[in-house]
């Protein structure tokens, strides 16, 4: 809703958030860098007049941006953490954040220092729980030794299954849940994506999996999924969401719907039950590692501790 996937309609964005809350969705996830504060202000506006306890706000911080929207790196220093949080509370119009997490590891700051700073914010009442994002097993263990970690937010979908190696077992050992993003792989495996649809400024215009040389292979996987979806009378997006949900009660699928029609389709996935035969058919249609292309451009992969330790 704030620039990552191209332009979005403000009134439709707010109507989508309201429709999600009215449908019983309780978790809203954002980052202070999405639209450089735009997304937090949008959520703040959407939440006006609603009970604060109706929603859990999960916020990522730490990404540094310039006036042109460029990405400058990450800042996990304790005083930066306190500064980011102050601005976030102001933009959201709330007095506490339910889950606060560094978006990426700052390679220049020990994770203990960053988590220690958030732990101080927990003690002060500004933050309820601490989460992580896109980090690997060693960092997860070091962070959890400082303060309990409620969840790791990380990409997990039919075509991004890297966490099944060491990351998911580490989280399960430590009692840390997974908030899975990219469940629809940014729309690539939603069943709606048309080759070449990404406009400039949309992440999909630079994402390797959407590029010539990879996209045909990836859309062929979607068509294989479509035949399974058709046979069950559901949509491709619903199969993709239901598959992630079926991987464990400790895995929460996070869906990036920008419009009410997309939201309504995504909500329909809750009624989709996949039995062992369905799961086996899906595995045959989209075997592990089947996607062509990396999940991020190289310039962004270098900041991903989860990839380094995978
Ligand atoms: N921790 C991290 O590093 C990280 C990174 C990225 C995202 N996230 C989080 O993940 C959340 C989800 O976003 P995502 O990137 O994971 O996106 P996603 O859910 O994989 O894909 C969302 C896109 O899929 C398309 N779509 C097609 N059919 C849909 C349907 N039925 N329901 C919903 N979307 C459909 C929409 O694009 P169109 O509107 O163009 O159709 C939408 O913008 C974000 O809010 C963000 O906070 C976290």
């Amino acid at each position: 809703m704030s620039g990552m996937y191209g332009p979005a309609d403000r009134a439709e964005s707010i109507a989508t958030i309201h429709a999600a809350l009215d449908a019983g969705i309780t978790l809203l996830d954002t980052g202070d860098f999405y639209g450089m504060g735009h997304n937090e202000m949008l959520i703040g506006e959407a939440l006006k007049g609603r009970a604060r306890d109706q929603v859990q706000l999960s916020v990522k911080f730490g990404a540094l941006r310039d006036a042109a929207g460029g990405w400058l790196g990450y800042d996990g220093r304790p005083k930066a953490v306190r500064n980011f949080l102050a601005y976030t509370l102001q933009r959201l119009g709330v007095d506490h954040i339910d889950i606060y997490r560094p978006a990426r590891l700052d390679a220049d700051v020990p994770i203990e220092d960053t988590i220690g700073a958030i732990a101080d914010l927990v003690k002060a009442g500004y933050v309820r729980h601490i989460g992580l994002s896109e980090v690997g097993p060693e960092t997860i263990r070091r962070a959890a030794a400082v303060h309990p970690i409620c969840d790791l937010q990380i990409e997990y979908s039919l075509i991004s299954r890297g966490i099944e190696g060491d990351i998911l077992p580490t989280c399960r050992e430590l009692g840390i849940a997974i908030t899975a993003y990219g469940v629809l792989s940014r729309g690539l495996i939603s069943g709606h994506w048309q080759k070449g649809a990404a406009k400039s400024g949309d992440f999909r215009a630079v994402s390797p999996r959407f590029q010539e040389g990879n996209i045909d292979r990836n859309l062929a996987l979607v068509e294989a999924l479509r035949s399974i979806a058709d046979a069950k009378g559901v949509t491709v997006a619903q199969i993709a969401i239901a598959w992630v949900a079926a991987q464990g009660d400790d895995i929460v699928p996070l869906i990036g719907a920008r419009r009410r029609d997309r939201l309504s389709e995504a909500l329909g996935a809750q009624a989709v039950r996949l039995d062992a035969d369905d799961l086996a058919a899906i595995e045959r249609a989209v075997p592990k590692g089947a996607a062509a292309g990396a999940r991020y451009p190289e310039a962004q992969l270098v900041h991903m501790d989860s990839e380094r330790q995978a």
Side-chain angles (χ1 to χ4, degrees):
M1 294 173 175
S2 300
M4 302 298 288
Y5 298 117
D9 180 86
R10 189 174 187 87
E12 180 61 25
S13 295
I14 289 179
T16 304
I17 296 172
H18 286 163
L21 297 174
D22 293 344
I25 295 292
T26 56
L27 175 66
L28 294 185
D29 180 76
T30 184
D32 59 12
F33 44 85
Y34 290 143
M36 284 89 83
H38 175 277
N39 198 256
E40 290 180 326
M41 290 189 284
L42 185 77
I43 291 175
E45 190 180 331
L47 292 182
K48 276 200 187 109
R50 303 251 169 180
R52 175 65 185 86
D53 290 349
Q54 189 192 345
V55 62
Q56 287 181 303
L57 292 170
S58 157
V59 180
K60 298 184 286 297
F61 68 88
L64 304 175
R65 305 194 68 179
D66 64 22
W71 300 88
L72 303 172
Y74 295 90
D75 193 344
R77 293 171 303 152
K79 67 180 172 188
V81 174
R82 292 197 295 278
N83 174 77
F84 285 132
L85 189 271
Y87 281 75
T88 280
L89 293 176
Q90 191 69 27
R91 282 186 294 252
L92 281 164
V94 296
D95 63 4
H96 70 276
I97 300 303
D98 297 284
I99 310 162
Y100 202 47
R101 70 183 83 243
R104 297 284 181 271
L105 179 68
D106 176 348
D108 297 327
V109 177
I111 189 66
E112 289 82 356
D113 293 2
T114 304
I115 299 301
I118 312 177
D120 289 342
L121 296 171
V122 173
K123 273 195 219 110
Y126 295 120
V127 169
R128 295 279 188 267
H129 304 282
I130 304 180
L132 293 168
S133 169
E134 287 290 357
V135 290
E138 188 199 323
T139 305
I140 296 168
R141 286 184 192 284
R142 286 172 55 183
V146 175
H147 189 277
I149 301 296
C150 68
D151 72 315
L152 169 68
Q153 187 173 115
I154 194 161
E155 186 165 2
Y156 187 43
S157 73
L158 270 167
I159 62 167
S160 295
R161 295 176 58 178
I163 72 165
E164 291 173 6
D166 292 336
I167 292 175
L168 185 54
T170 302
C171 286
R172 286 188 164 153
E173 178 197 323
L174 297 173
I176 297 171
I178 299 287
T179 306
Y181 78 85
V183 167
L184 297 173
S185 204
R186 280 84 177 188
L188 176 60
I189 58 168
S190 68
H192 299 294
W193 187 254
Q194 303 285 332
K195 191 174 164 180
K199 308 259 183 328
S200 155
D202 184 328
F203 173 78
R204 296 171 288 203
V206 296
S207 166
R209 289 182 175 169
F210 288 82
Q211 306 311 308
E212 206 54 62
N214 293 332
I215 186 72
D216 290 331
R217 160 108 186 112
N218 294 334
L219 288 180
L221 299 172
V222 175
E223 290 318 303
L225 271 185
R226 197 185 303 279
S227 48
I228 296 171
D230 286 350
K232 281 187 79 70
V234 301
T235 70
V236 177
Q238 289 169 343
I239 288 282
I241 296 167
W243 182 87
V244 170
Q247 304 310 306
D249 290 342
D250 54 349
I251 300 180
V252 178
L254 191 59
I255 309 300
R258 301 192 291 174
R259 305 190 326 235
R260 281 169 291 179
D261 58 342
R262 300 293 201 222
L263 170 71
S264 149
E265 181 184 14
L267 288 169
Q270 293 175 105
V272 178
R273 294 282 165 268
L274 300 175
D275 62 22
D277 289 344
D278 294 327
L279 291 170
I282 292 169
E283 188 75 41
R284 282 194 298 278
V286 185
K288 196 169 175 169
R295 60 193 182 99
Y296 277 88
E298 189 52 39
Q300 295 179 33
L301 278 176
V302 296
H303 293 292
M304 295 172 75
D305 185 64
S306 48
E307 290 288 317
R308 238 190 338 276
Q309 297 179 18

